[in-house]
Amino acid sequence: MLDKLNEIEKAALESLSSINDQTALDAWRIANVGRSSPLMQVFGGFGKLSKEEKPVVGAAANRVKVALESALEERAQAVKNAALAKSLEEEKLDVTLPGREVNIGRLHPSTQQLRRVLSILAEMGFQVYTSREVESDEMNFQMLNFAPHHPAREMQDSFYVEAEGREDNPILMRTHTSPGQIRAMREAVASNPQNPPPIRIALPGMCFRYEQITARSEIQFNQVEGLAVGKGITFADLKGTLTDFVRRMFGQDARVRFRASYFPFTEPSAEMDVECFVCGGKGCQVCKNSGWLEILGCGMVHPNVLQNGGYDPKIYSGFAWGMGPERQLMLRNKITDIRYFWGNDVRFLEQF
Amino acid sequence: MKLPISWLKDFIDLDGLTVEDIARKLTLAGLEVDEILYVGLPMPEYAASGMHSSEKHEFKTNGIAWDKEKIVVAEIREVKAHPNADKLTLLDLFDGQQEQVVLTGAPNIFHLKGAGKLEKPIKVAYAKEGSTLYDGHAEGQVLMTLKRAKIRGVDSYSMVCSEKELGITEESDGIIILDDDAPVGMPLADYIGDAVLDISILPNMARNANVIGIARELAALTGRELKTDNRPQTIDRPLSAVNGQSVNDLVEIEITNSELNPRFVVGLIRNVEIKPSPYQIQRRLKLAGVRAINNIVDATNYAMIELGEPLHAFDYDILKERAGDKKIKIITRTAQDGEELVTLDGVKRKLTAMNVLVCDEKGSLSLAGVMGGSESEVYDASKEVLDAIGVETKPGEMPQGKITSRGKSTVNVLLEGAAWNFINIRRTAKQHNLPSEASFRFSRGVHPALAETGVKRGLQYMAAWANGQIAPGLVDVYPLKPKDSVVDVTPKDVKRLLGIELTLEEISALLTRLEFKCEITNHHLQVTAPPHRMDIDEGVVGLADVLEEVARSYGFDKIPTTTMSDSLPPQKGNPIHEWEERLRDLLVAIGLQEVVTYRMTSPERESRVVTHNEYVRIANPIAPERSVLRQNLLASVLEVAEKNAKAESLAMFEVGSIFEPVKNDLPNEPRKLAMVMTGKRIASAWDVKDSPTFDFYDMKGRIELLLAGLRFTDILYAETESTYALHPGKSAEVKVNGQVVGVFGELHPLAKEKYEFGDAPVIVAEFDLEKLRALNPSYGIVPVSEFPPMYEDIAIILDESVAAATVEALIRQTGGKTVTDVRLFDVYRDEKIGAGKKSLAYSLTYQAEKTLTDAEAAAIRNKIVKRLENVVGAKLRS
């Protein structure tokens, strides 16, 4: 009987070893451990065995049953693994085929840059103030300390709008966002004439100059100005605040310098240079080998401008600065032609 | 302005400072140096190693350095003929060490050929073998190195140089003939080596548009002494004695409008000999960008560039002739409208009543402050000059030729220095398109005090260079003296506005360097502006003017960096701006590219989609296609789409202002949103073929998302009567909270034909953001139920004419709160349903705050079907 069991085991294991698919496995299971399999018949013939034989044969039959079952399980796992390996192999993709396109929208690069600047200014407490694009000469020039026929007006050639009877106060496309300074100051004064509140604003928007459209000059461009007005604001505060701003903008290690300059609406006035962020100040094409980039104009608000805004220059002081988002983008991205911005070629826009 | 360093050194000691040091100091103080041009002086290494060096150099640098060993002062001792070439001469020359033979074809030495040993040797710039110079025969500035060669059988290894070869001018004719006292053998770089700073003069720095002005700034910045009374050492010859009749006996002046002409000064110099100026003077003028003419004209220009006061020289004898036996009377007055004057450029100019003229009793002499008249100009009748300007001369006869000639050179010169109203000069120069060195300065403001100093200096130079005798006295009429600005400054002011602590003495020292007069009294500093400055006001503005000078003189770089100590204003945000930014974010999220377009367009361009009668018109457009301000944002975005029409798929938007005209007043600037979509819904790819094109419903879907994102819920779409050129059957208006806020649809086929688009339809939308922003959005989130929803589909057949929106509204109304979603998932038409009929299939979601039974759902459903039957004649589709 024991011999028979050994034979059963040997034959079963032998036939199992050549099985490679699930159907054959199922057939093998029925044939070898199924109810009518030779092994089960051994269990079925148990009653005929002698008292001595029973435990010996029983133990042997059980061992064979366990052995066959575990062999089946092992084989089943191997068959499954092989099948999976095969299907994985068959499902292999060409990973170099392009990914599926997703239609997404983008902001215009100027809007993106405006947002970068405005979010830094917001962190510093400067709130957005917007105002109209078509202005009167009074607001665009006179209130900002540009006298009629003043040479400084030549720095800002203007587009005029047709209007009659306004020889003293023609209508023009604003040449800078600075008229907003006057409007904002007047609103603040109106809110509390006895004790005008301090002002911290950022003035973004489109400005216009009479220029030919070339790679280097455009008839319209964005500007962002900052304005701080209050009691005891000094030129040293201007330097501190703008250095802080520029470092948030261009990196905490950015070196800066202030050069004396001239704007009619500030005094003293300065240009602020930042060490070239393309070459780190070593000299490159972007900074024309100077190591410095001119990035903003600034100055202490001129007493006449404070006065025109309703703030007494004997008590209040302040500073203002202005910069161009498109110029910043051009420097940062080595864009050599300003016409790209309003050309709106999607092949340009999609790169931002 | 172009400033030769050698000229600057007449007035300030610059020892120990490199050219770059000087340029840097000036730049930081507001006198920005745009370029440094080396003309002989040693160049910094980076510049010498080639202009395209990648090394850092602070300034744009150009030019040439002269080798001290190889380029020296030499003297020509004899001019001989070349044995084999008629047009060449051989020069016997001494370079300080040895004799040399040099070949030249220079025209200005040719006439001495064969003259034998020269009585007086001619001093020249001599370049030895191996020198690097500009090629005198090349177009533009090309460097070359002198090599030994045989020219027509004669050994050539060196040369005498022209100005072009040395980089002094861009073109030249003949060799440089140096002044007689040039030291033979001296390196040329030590003798006349120079560097020229090209400085941008800001409008408030006009006082510095002269050599002394820059020297004064440098003196203040370095604490060095300013020597204003210096005259150039190189021309410092004894002045001829002042003698003869006083000019006051000969000339009188009448100023008719002192506002326009606050001061007028004349001086007289007699018996001048017109000839070229000393070479040193010519060289400086040329480096400063002024042509050298003759010693008299050069003296006026030289004094102007040095001091800042433009001068005008009259031929005294012409004025005397015009006056006849009367005393010469100079009158300044405004022109009569239509009055004419021939200016010295030979142009007859028609004047207007705004122009100021310098006249005598016979008529106008010059256009004040801008340009002289031709009749009374200083005249040089020497043969060389007449030949050069094409006037034929015959002995004993009046010259004939291109200009009406006087035949006789000027002998006596009346020199004018005046002060003019800067705005008037500015307008006159602009009106006649006459930008000149004089009008550049006068139109930016020249202090009247300089009129006298200028005339004196000009006369001195004329005396030195033309051997004239200065007549005693000056005629000086000065009806309108500018008020000396006096400003009170305290350390408290300096602290309050600049943020630095300075004592009265320190403030005083900083200002004194810039020639302010400072008096310390009673804890105050009384500051008086110096008599060359027109830009210092009084009072609170004057304080700012003076503090700017304190800050500049102190150095911006030395001022500390601090943070503001006053309180912040309330942080209130900008709701309009923030709302628009949110709108932009939503538009980007639904797949649209933002564009930003020109505000200036033309009515013709906009008329492709919409017509307006009135526009905000630009008075001075740069081009006809930019002649008005846009009144339609969609037209702008359509143009951008058209330009990008080659792209397979386009979806773009712009948010911005349009401009509605208001007669003779500022226009309205309402904000708009425009959207354009055209092309394929999904770009073609390896697994995407024949993607459908964008249509009406693509735009509508985006609008739905956009309005939902803005939290609007009460939205209706209806047929539109818009004036836009839209497809009548494929367009709609959008109502939010009952108000029309926008319109969208397919561009009308006829309008589309006006553009260069592809076959795909062009879908457009425009929204009025002013209206939209004013509407109340709805806030509040519907809670998500914990009970399971039930889903059910119903399909109904009904007439084509019934709008889907009507059906949906009926379903929602009838279903009540329990029907939480109604989704149209199929629209179907075929013969079995019947002509003029359609089938609409809806998926309904039932949701209640409990688990609904089938029976409850069926009850609602039956109610809905019945209502649809009754109201729109719908039949349930089996």
Side-chain angles (χ1 to χ4, degrees):
Chain A
M1 205 59 181
L2 291 176
D3 288 348
K4 196 180 171 193
L5 277 169
N6 283 339
E7 258 171 55
I8 287 170
E9 182 182 11
K10 195 177 162 213
L13 289 178
E14 208 177 279
S15 66
L16 182 65
S17 68
S18 62
I19 287 176
N20 282 320
D21 63 80
Q22 190 61 44
T23 323
L25 273 179
D26 290 343
W28 185 92
R29 187 171 45 78
I30 292 163
N32 292 285
V33 291
R35 219 174 292 165
S36 49
S37 64
L39 179 63
M40 285 309 166
Q41 280 168 15
V42 172
F43 281 103
F46 219 56
K48 291 177 194 156
L49 294 180
S50 68
K51 204 176 168 189
E52 291 76 27
E53 274 179 319
K54 268 185 189 168
V56 180
V57 174
N62 267 325
R63 184 192 60 75
V64 172
K65 188 175 176 232
V66 169
L68 291 188
E69 278 171 353
S70 78
L72 173 65
E73 200 175 306
E74 201 177 300
R75 191 68 204 164
Q77 194 59 49
V79 166
K80 202 174 156 194
N81 286 349
L84 179 64
K86 192 169 170 242
S87 80
L88 287 181
E89 178 63 33
E90 284 168 1
E91 286 166 9
K92 190 175 179 191
L93 297 180
D94 177 356
V95 297
T96 64
L97 278 175
R100 217 154 266 139
E101 269 186 52
V102 179
N103 284 342
I104 61 157
R106 291 176 184 82
L107 290 170
H108 189 277
S110 295
T111 307
Q112 294 183 28
Q113 186 66 12
L114 277 168
R115 285 191 176 186
R116 266 175 227 131
V117 173
L118 292 176
S119 78
I120 292 172
L121 288 174
E123 287 170 12
M124 295 172 67
F126 289 79
Q127 298 153 349
V128 173
Y129 184 92
T130 49
S131 63
R132 53 173 31 265
E133 294 178 3
V134 182
E135 273 290 3
S136 63
D137 185 273
E138 182 187 20
M139 294 301 283
N140 192 77
F141 287 131
Q142 294 167 35
M143 288 295 116
L144 291 159
N145 202 36
F146 288 78
H149 306 292
H150 192 274
R153 289 193 175 208
E154 276 175 21
M155 296 161 85
Q156 302 193 359
D157 279 342
S158 317
F159 283 109
Y160 286 90
V161 165
E162 284 181 7
E164 282 163 25
R166 298 187 59 109
E167 284 69 30
D168 295 337
N169 189 18
I171 299 173
L172 48 83
M173 305 299 290
R174 68 172 173 193
T175 56
H176 45 192
T177 53
S178 316
Q181 294 188 14
I182 302 290
R183 294 184 184 278
M185 280 191 272
R186 288 182 176 178
E187 277 173 30
V189 170
S191 75
N192 188 352
Q194 262 61 55
N195 188 20
I199 291 180
R200 302 280 189 282
I201 52 169
L203 304 110
M206 196 65 86
C207 304
F208 308 83
R209 302 264 170 99
Y210 187 91
E211 302 255 8
Q212 293 308 313
I213 300 177
T214 69
R216 302 178 144 269
S217 63
E218 257 293 0
I219 54 173
Q220 69 180 34
F221 57 92
N222 276 293
Q223 192 178 48
V224 183
E225 275 184 290
L227 173 72
V229 175
K231 289 177 186 167
I233 293 178
T234 68
F235 190 80
D237 292 340
L238 173 154
K239 281 188 68 180
T241 308
L242 293 192
T243 302
D244 181 23
F245 169 76
V246 164
R247 290 193 173 152
R248 289 177 195 232
M249 190 90 200
F250 299 106
Q252 284 305 315
D253 302 324
R255 287 210 307 144
V256 297
R257 70 174 189 186
F258 291 82
R259 277 183 291 117
S261 189
Y262 170 72
F263 308 103
F265 39 99
T266 52
E267 188 173 31
S269 303
E271 295 276 356
M272 188 177 183
D273 298 338
V274 63
E275 197 169 51
C276 179
F277 42 69
V278 177
C279 62
K282 288 193 204 77
C284 68
Q285 277 199 322
V286 175
C287 61
K288 300 191 186 82
N289 285 319
S290 73
W292 293 101
L293 294 172
E294 193 177 307
I295 47 151
L296 59 86
C298 56
M300 299 299 290
V301 181
H302 195 279
N304 286 342
V305 176
L306 285 172
Q307 193 92 59
N308 292 334
Y311 283 79
D312 183 349
K314 293 197 187 82
I315 302 168
Y316 295 91
S317 54
F319 60 84
W321 76 100
M323 58 209 148
E326 284 88 34
R327 177 174 156 74
Q328 290 169 351
L329 283 171
M330 289 177 79
L331 291 173
R332 175 73 89 187
N333 298 296
K334 300 185 191 171
I335 300 167
T336 50
D337 194 332
I338 194 172
R339 288 171 294 195
Y340 279 129
F341 288 97
W342 320 136
N344 289 300
D345 190 314
V346 288
R347 292 167 300 178
F348 174 71
L349 301 177
E350 280 168 5
Q351 295 180 53
F352 290 87
Chain B
M1 78 172 284
K2 291 192 166 77
L3 175 72
I5 292 282
S6 67
W7 204 337
L8 198 55
K9 284 181 176 168
D10 285 348
F11 304 105
I12 180 170
D13 180 359
L14 296 172
D15 286 353
L17 294 174
T18 66
V19 176
E20 274 70 25
D21 290 339
I22 296 165
R24 188 179 314 111
K25 281 180 191 300
L26 292 173
T27 296
L28 289 175
L31 291 155
E32 190 176 0
V33 174
D34 291 334
E35 183 179 0
I36 303 175
L37 178 70
Y38 283 86
V39 192
L41 283 182
M43 294 167 82
E45 233 162 75
Y46 62 74
S49 65
M51 293 340 294
H52 302 292
S53 152
S54 63
E55 249 180 284
K56 171 175 174 172
H57 45 97
E58 259 184 277
F59 297 95
K60 187 178 163 198
T61 304
N62 234 316
I64 186 173
W66 302 333
D67 189 314
K68 290 198 182 187
E69 300 283 318
K70 299 196 175 90
I71 304 175
V72 298
V73 177
E75 60 182 23
I76 300 172
R77 295 177 168 175
E78 187 170 353
V79 184
K80 294 178 185 157
H82 188 289
N84 308 317
D86 285 349
K87 296 207 164 155
L88 297 179
T89 53
L90 294 180
L91 310 175
D92 277 352
L93 167 153
F94 179 65
D95 68 6
Q97 290 170 333
Q98 59 195 72
E99 302 263 344
Q100 310 278 2
V101 176
V102 183
L103 257 117
T104 182
N108 59 338
I109 208 92
F110 194 74
H111 64 284
L112 295 171
K113 184 170 77 168
K117 269 226 165 336
L118 300 176
E119 252 175 64
K120 197 174 77 178
I122 296 171
K123 302 287 177 69
V124 292
Y126 174 62
K128 300 177 188 172
E129 185 177 358
S131 305
T132 299
L133 300 160
Y134 289 123
D135 186 342
H137 301 289
E139 189 82 17
Q141 294 188 317
V142 182
L143 285 175
M144 57 134 191
T145 302
L146 271 185
K147 292 194 188 101
R148 192 171 282 268
K150 267 217 179 348
I151 296 177
R152 300 235 180 167
V154 177
D155 224 14
S156 167
Y157 52 89
S158 62
M159 65 190 280
V160 286
C161 305
S162 68
E163 291 185 324
K164 175 172 182 174
E165 283 151 355
L166 290 170
I168 295 169
T169 55
E170 283 178 14
E171 291 303 327
S172 55
D173 205 14
I175 58 167
I176 299 172
I177 296 179
L178 298 171
D179 294 332
D180 292 342
D181 55 4
V184 173
M186 182 186 259
L188 192 70
D190 291 345
Y191 178 49
I192 55 168
D194 221 328
V196 182
L197 306 181
D198 192 350
I199 302 173
S200 293
I201 302 286
L202 294 163
N204 70 328
M205 291 267 193
R207 64 179 184 279
N208 293 322
N210 52 77
V211 181
I212 290 176
I214 303 284
R216 183 187 294 115
E217 287 287 324
L218 263 182
L221 296 170
T222 58
R224 295 176 188 219
E225 188 199 348
L226 176 69
K227 302 172 282 188
T228 39
D229 292 330
N230 264 20
R231 271 173 290 114
Q233 291 162 9
T234 48
I235 55 127
D236 200 6
R237 296 155 203 211
L239 290 182
S240 314
V242 173
N243 63 20
Q245 202 176 3
S246 164
V247 64
N248 281 288
D249 299 337
L250 304 167
V251 181
E252 63 181 308
I253 293 166
E254 184 190 328
I255 292 172
T256 57
N257 183 335
S258 61
E259 288 286 339
L260 295 176
N261 180 199
R263 189 176 193 181
F264 200 98
V265 181
V266 294
L268 177 66
I269 182 164
R270 296 191 181 92
N271 301 322
V272 296
E273 181 197 339
I274 295 194
K275 59 180 182 183
S277 303
Y279 181 69
Q280 284 283 46
I281 299 309
Q282 292 188 37
R283 189 189 63 89
R284 282 184 177 179
L285 285 172
K286 287 172 186 173
L287 291 182
V290 175
R291 266 187 333 133
I293 312 280
N294 59 49
N295 48 5
I296 300 301
V297 177
D298 291 354
T300 63
N301 286 330
Y302 195 92
M304 168 179 70
I305 290 170
E306 189 164 276
L307 193 69
E309 167 72 21
L311 300 172
H312 184 69
F314 292 99
D315 187 320
Y316 172 77
D317 296 299
I318 297 283
L319 300 188
K320 210 173 141 205
E321 196 182 302
R322 284 166 64 101
D325 45 10
K326 284 160 75 182
K327 190 174 177 182
I328 294 171
K329 185 173 183 185
I330 305 264
I331 304 155
T332 68
R333 60 164 171 87
T334 51
Q336 266 132 35
D337 260 325
E339 193 172 347
E340 284 174 343
L341 173 69
V342 181
T343 43
L344 54 77
D345 53 4
V347 179
K348 187 187 264 188
R349 296 182 188 271
K350 231 190 175 102
L351 307 172
T352 63
M354 179 194 73
N355 305 138
V356 179
L357 291 171
V358 178
C359 310
D360 62 7
E361 284 183 303
K362 273 198 118 167
S364 59
L365 298 170
S366 77
L367 190 53
V370 177
M371 193 176 256
S374 71
E375 191 185 344
S376 55
E377 73 174 305
V378 169
Y379 187 67
D380 181 357
S382 62
K383 189 174 181 314
E384 291 83 356
V385 170
L386 293 178
D387 284 350
I389 58 178
V391 176
E392 283 175 41
T393 46
K394 282 181 195 155
E397 277 179 36
M398 283 288 282
Q400 303 289 312
K402 285 186 186 167
I403 60 163
T404 316
S405 200
R406 289 191 233 137
K408 189 164 148 273
S409 291
T410 299
V411 177
N412 302 310
V413 174
L414 192 69
L415 185 62
E416 163 205 322
W420 308 104
N421 175 290
F422 75 95
I423 287 172
N424 182 275
I425 298 292
R426 167 169 229 89
R427 295 173 68 184
T428 297
K430 217 170 178 175
Q431 177 194 350
H432 295 289
N433 192 22
L434 273 176
S436 64
E437 290 282 341
S439 69
F440 173 86
R441 287 171 173 80
F442 277 135
S443 66
R444 282 163 175 77
V446 177
H447 197 287
L450 292 178
E452 182 191 347
T453 334
V455 170
K456 282 183 178 163
R457 199 169 276 252
L459 290 173
Q460 282 172 351
Y461 289 145
M462 287 177 192
W465 305 335
N467 301 317
Q469 295 99 41
I470 298 170
L474 294 174
V475 189
D476 184 356
V477 179
Y478 197 176
L480 189 66
K481 282 201 174 68
K483 200 165 154 249
D484 285 338
S485 289
V486 180
V487 180
D488 239 19
V489 183
T490 66
K492 221 177 110 194
D493 296 324
V494 174
K495 174 78 182 150
R496 179 173 83 89
L497 291 164
L498 298 181
I500 46 178
E501 309 258 9
L502 294 177
T503 63
L504 282 171
E505 289 72 21
E506 285 168 327
I507 300 166
S508 167
L510 290 169
L511 289 170
T512 306
R513 286 198 218 165
L514 287 163
E515 296 181 19
F516 285 84
K517 263 192 283 169
C518 296
E519 245 179 274
I520 299 175
T521 50
N522 196 20
H523 307 297
H524 279 244
L525 190 64
Q526 207 178 56
V527 180
T528 309
H532 59 264
R533 296 194 62 155
M534 309 268 282
D535 61 325
I536 306 294
D537 211 320
E538 293 201 315
V540 69
V541 174
L543 179 65
D545 295 337
V546 170
L547 288 184
E548 176 172 51
E549 296 307 286
V550 171
R552 280 197 323 117
S553 192
Y554 183 77
F556 282 9
D557 51 336
K558 283 196 225 126
I559 294 176
T561 55
T562 55
T563 47
M564 289 181 276
S565 56
D566 76 327
S567 59
L568 268 182
Q571 300 282 300
K572 61 180 177 189
N574 182 325
I576 295 178
H577 176 75
E578 284 155 22
W579 186 83
E580 267 189 15
E581 290 294 76
R582 177 165 163 65
L583 179 75
R584 283 195 176 90
D585 283 338
L586 287 166
L587 288 158
V588 165
I590 58 179
L592 275 75
Q593 166 71 53
E594 187 189 22
V595 299
V596 178
T597 62
Y598 287 107
R599 306 299 199 259
M600 289 172 215
T601 182
S602 69
E604 294 72 36
R605 293 163 75 158
E606 292 207 332
S607 68
R608 293 194 286 182
V609 270
V610 70
T611 328
H612 296 285
N613 294 326
E614 300 289 328
Y615 271 97
V616 178
R617 292 185 181 277
I618 300 294
N620 56 337
I622 49 159
E625 68 268 22
R626 304 254 173 249
S627 57
V628 303
L629 296 186
R630 70 181 179 198
Q631 205 165 164
N632 183 270
L633 191 60
L634 184 56
S636 298
V637 183
L638 270 169
E639 274 183 35
V640 172
E642 182 185 29
K643 268 172 60 186
N644 284 292
K646 285 225 163 65
E648 206 181 8
S649 175
L650 283 175
M652 42 183 52
F653 77 95
E654 180 169 11
V655 171
S657 301
I658 62 153
F659 303 86
E660 297 170 347
V662 175
K663 203 161 175 54
N664 298 330
D665 206 343
L666 297 177
N668 294 323
E669 300 181 9
R671 304 289 285 174
K672 301 276 177 177
L673 159 67
M675 295 186 260
V676 173
M677 295 172 72
T678 186
K680 299 220 157 144
R681 194 177 293 164
I682 303 167
S684 307
W686 53 276
D687 65 339
V688 179
K689 309 271 181 280
D690 303 321
S691 160
T693 53
F694 284 127
D695 65 15
F696 178 88
Y697 296 106
D698 286 296
M699 181 64 88
K700 186 172 177 191
R702 280 168 177 78
I703 290 171
E704 284 164 349
L705 276 172
L706 178 68
L707 294 175
L710 293 171
R711 321 216 55 149
F712 292 115
T713 48
D714 178 4
I715 301 157
L716 283 175
Y717 298 87
E719 282 179 22
T720 175
E721 284 165 24
S722 156
T723 52
Y724 279 117
L726 296 180
H727 187 304
K730 297 180 179 176
S731 56
E733 62 185 24
V734 185
K735 282 185 183 173
V736 175
N737 298 359
Q739 280 208 49
V740 179
V741 292
V743 58
F744 72 102
E746 193 177 311
L747 200 59
H748 196 288
L750 291 178
K752 194 184 157 205
E753 272 177 19
K754 298 177 192 162
Y755 292 86
E756 285 178 27
F757 281 117
D759 294 334
V762 178
I763 320 297
V764 301
E766 198 187 56
F767 281 81
D768 183 331
L769 297 183
E770 305 293 330
K771 276 192 192 163
L772 196 56
R773 198 175 55 228
L775 298 172
N776 290 326
S778 51
Y779 286 96
I781 295 292
V782 178
V784 180
S785 176
E786 283 172 33
F787 296 94
M790 275 183 75
Y791 303 100
E792 192 175 27
D793 294 348
I794 58 168
I796 49 167
I797 296 168
L798 72 176
D799 283 349
E800 274 288 2
S801 61
V802 182
T806 312
V807 178
E808 187 181 325
L810 282 169
I811 295 174
R812 285 187 186 276
Q813 219 176 56
T814 316
K817 269 204 308 211
T818 313
V819 176
T820 54
D821 196 20
V822 180
R823 239 179 101 78
L824 178 66
F825 71 90
D826 191 31
V827 180
Y828 181 74
R829 298 174 180 90
D830 82 353
E831 286 160 15
K832 277 186 240 158
I833 295 168
K837 299 273 186 190
K838 63 185 172 188
S839 157
L840 301 178
Y842 289 90
S843 168
L844 308 184
T845 306
Y846 303 98
Q847 175 80 65
E849 282 314 291
K850 62 173 195 161
T851 306
L852 282 167
T853 63
D854 287 348
E856 284 165 327
I860 298 172
R861 177 173 179 267
N862 290 338
K863 222 167 98 186
I864 291 172
V865 172
K866 200 153 203 160
R867 184 90 192 276
L868 290 175
E869 266 177 29
N870 290 342
V871 180
V872 292
K875 291 216 157 49
L876 197 61
R877 198 174 159 206
S878 46

